[in-house]
Amino acid sequence: MGWVRGWSSRGIQEDRGWLRGAPPPWWVRLLPVLLLVTVTVAGLVTPHASDLGFLLGAIPPLSVLSYGPMWTAVLGGLVVVALNLPDTHLNRPGNTDLLTIVFVALLSVFVSFVRSRRDAQLQVERTIGEAVQRAVMPPLPERVGRIGCAGFYRAAENGTLVGGDFFDVRQGPYGVRVVMGDVRGHGLSAVATVVSLLGAFREAVLDQQDLQSVAGRMDRRLTADCAGVGDGELFATAVLLEFADDTRSVRVVARGHPAPVLLHRGAAREITVTPGTPLGLGLVGAESPKEVTVPLEPGDRLLLASDGVWEARNTAGAFYPLPDRLPALADTGHDELPAAVWADLARLGYEVRDDATMLVLAPDPAARRTRVP
């Protein structure tokens, strides 16, 4: 399975080495030094090691993989010194072309300089990508109103932090509302659509009195955006939730997105919904999606997942059975449940080929309700 970097509700999983470009393994950094010491010592111990002199020519190129121009130049200089020490017997005529190795060392310093400049630029670009991710979808707080939250995000494109999946949990004057969606496509090309939809959702949370109207606002926003798309196939699936003030029920509206899975007393079942058309299609005569109300009991949890999780396949081509696997993970705390599902996917050998997003919602009737003006 291709593991890709991303973030959870506790924040971006920061790997500073990764942001600078993946550093080489420790043994690759050690290899040029070890090769230099080994060949030099062998030449000092016995004159029969002179045939190993050609190995020193590999040290400058190997240094480029791990070191900057300064240390590449130092190692190249040590190679030249080792070749010219009479006691090493490494530069006997016919065994080693000193001029060739000097040229390779100088060329390696130049390549290392170019690589260092490229890596610096790459670090800036990936830092910007991290800032974009935080701006588009900030890490969720542990609790929104009376709802405990845990999010999980992995972009499908290796080396990116953003993709076509999105989710948000917001408290407004009409209660805590949740959205999870999946924009057509993934990667940086989908970011603009994600920004547009999340903006529409956050505004609608504040001024729309019912959940269907929130979905309608997002649909209108995306339909307007579709007018400027040449292929006319810009759309997104979404599922929206709204919790009652006492958290004893939740309302669900689905727009082409997989329904939430309800974990109740150690069992799991997918909530039955009547799905509406995806956002942005603008189909004439299409019926409005029907809102479903689901009763909740203390201890119940809801898990929302994107297609990347639902459509993960094993070697036999079978889909990941998310509702069937959740009972085995029922003892996991809600904040650790997304990571447990991700680990279960890997352990069972399921391959994720799309953006993978999960959101766990844990209503707590005893929590204090935060007032929103």
Side-chain angles (χ1 to χ4, degrees):
M1 173 178 293
W3 287 70
V4 290
R5 296 286 181 181
W7 62 273
S8 67
S9 60
R10 296 190 182 277
I12 300 276
Q13 294 183 341
E14 297 188 13
D15 186 334
R16 294 302 179 185
W18 174 73
L19 288 175
R20 294 184 177 92
W26 63 269
W27 59 269
V28 174
R29 297 179 60 86
L30 184 61
L31 187 58
V33 178
L34 185 61
L35 186 60
L36 175 62
V37 172
T38 300
V39 174
T40 302
V41 171
L44 291 173
V45 171
T46 172
H48 300 292
S50 59
D51 291 337
L52 299 177
F54 76 95
L55 293 176
L56 295 180
I59 292 177
L62 286 174
S63 303
V64 174
L65 299 176
S66 307
Y67 300 100
M70 183 182 72
W71 283 108
T72 300
V74 169
L75 289 170
L78 291 176
V79 167
V80 174
V81 170
L83 288 172
N84 284 282
L85 286 176
D87 293 338
T88 63
H89 312 287
L90 295 175
N91 193 32
R92 291 182 177 180
N95 290 337
T96 303
D97 190 338
L98 179 61
L99 292 179
T100 299
I101 291 183
V102 170
F103 173 77
V104 170
L106 293 175
L107 183 61
S108 298
V109 172
F110 173 74
V111 173
S112 179
F113 171 77
V114 173
R115 183 187 62 81
S116 299
R117 295 291 298 270
R118 183 206 61 190
D119 286 351
Q121 182 179 1
L122 184 62
Q123 178 184 352
V124 172
E125 292 175 353
R126 288 183 171 172
T127 302
I128 293 173
E130 179 183 357
V132 170
Q133 176 70 74
R134 289 184 180 273
V136 173
M137 290 200 330
L140 291 176
E142 294 184 5
R143 184 174 300 278
V144 178
R146 293 178 175 178
I147 310 300
C149 306
F152 183 96
Y153 192 101
R154 289 293 188 277
E157 293 187 2
N158 195 12
T160 65
L161 289 171
V162 291
D165 287 359
F166 62 93
F167 59 76
D168 200 4
V169 182
R170 296 277 165 160
Q171 184 169 9
Y174 307 105
V176 175
R177 287 170 170 171
V178 182
V179 65
M180 173 176 281
D182 184 0
V183 173
R184 173 180 176 260
H186 49 74
L188 296 178
S189 61
V191 173
T193 305
V194 169
V195 171
S196 181
L197 287 173
L198 282 175
F201 169 76
R202 290 163 182 169
E203 287 184 2
V205 164
L206 299 176
D207 55 27
Q208 297 297 324
Q209 297 184 10
D210 60 87
L211 197 59
Q212 290 180 333
S213 298
V214 177
R217 175 73 68 84
M218 297 175 67
D219 184 49
R220 185 178 66 179
R221 175 68 268 167
L222 191 53
T223 300
D225 292 345
C226 286
V229 178
D231 59 9
E233 294 183 1
L234 178 62
F235 64 88
T237 62
V239 59
L240 296 93
L241 289 75
E242 179 182 284
F243 288 90
D245 287 342
D246 58 6
T247 70
R248 294 186 181 277
S249 65
V250 62
R251 289 175 285 276
V252 182
V253 170
R255 300 294 299 265
H257 196 278
V261 178
L262 174 64
L263 284 81
H264 173 72
R265 297 181 181 179
R269 68 174 178 87
E270 186 178 357
I271 294 175
T272 301
V273 298
T274 303
T277 58
L279 303 173
L281 289 183
L283 298 179
V284 178
E287 294 184 4
S288 299
K290 296 181 180 180
E291 182 179 290
V292 175
T293 300
V294 180
L296 299 174
E297 296 183 8
D300 286 354
R301 291 176 290 175
L302 293 164
L303 186 142
L304 289 72
S306 67
D307 289 340
V309 176
W310 285 96
E311 297 180 358
R313 293 177 181 265
N314 60 15
T315 54
F319 291 121
Y320 179 65
L322 179 59
D324 295 337
R325 294 298 305 163
L326 285 179
L329 308 173
D331 294 335
T332 307
H334 79 271
D335 54 339
E336 301 296 336
L337 186 56
V341 174
W342 182 257
D344 191 56
L345 280 163
R347 183 171 58 254
L348 298 179
Y350 284 85
E351 183 181 6
V352 178
R353 299 180 180 179
D354 200 353
D355 298 332
T357 307
M358 287 176 277
L359 179 61
V360 175
L361 305 167
D364 184 2
R368 180 179 298 179
R369 182 179 183 272
T370 303
R371 294 186 176 273
V372 176

